[in-house]
Amino acid sequence: VRVVRMTAERFTFTPAEVAVDAGVEVEFRLRSDDTLHGFRIAGHAIDVAIPKRGRGETTVRFTPPGPGRYVFECSRMCGAGHGFMRGTLIVRERGGAR
């Protein structure tokens, strides 16, 4: 399992890009530094709320079905820049370039 600590804040995820090898389960530990946000992986059954700052973190596990790029985005309306709040999980072939 690869643990990724991710922060949601003001229309961005940090880190906004995560790379793992194929076959690796990813555990996202999500927290917000401001308001309520969401975390959705487009095309998959992952859609969770990230509580407001100071109210804990949300953990979600995802095993990518294969190599490729998986877009994640905020799924709760969080302000004017909401539509730009996204990132990418890059899944490399096992043993691929780093």
Side-chain angles (χ1 to χ4, degrees):
V1 175
R2 163 87 186 277
V3 175
V4 176
R5 295 184 181 280
M6 186 173 286
T7 302
E9 179 186 27
R10 200 165 193 139
F11 320 126
T12 188
F13 288 103
T14 304
E17 186 173 284
V18 176
V20 299
D21 288 331
V24 173
E25 181 179 28
V26 183
E27 180 178 288
F28 292 97
R29 294 187 185 168
L30 307 157
R31 68 179 182 86
S32 174
D33 269 353
D34 52 20
T35 191
L36 176 74
H37 291 284
F39 180 83
R40 171 176 51 216
I41 298 177
H44 299 275
I46 303 288
D47 188 354
V48 296
I50 305 170
K52 293 180 181 183
R53 175 179 47 214
R55 298 202 178 152
E57 75 178 13
T58 297
T59 299
V60 65
R61 286 184 168 211
F62 175 64
T63 303
R69 298 173 72 81
Y70 299 84
V71 174
F72 54 86
E73 59 193 3
C74 182
S75 58
R76 306 295 191 275
M77 178 52 73
C78 59
H82 168 75
F84 301 104
M85 191 170 175
R86 61 179 38 103
T88 307
L89 172 64
I90 300 165
V91 181
R92 305 173 293 230
E93 291 282 350
R94 192 175 288 270
R98 305 220 178 248

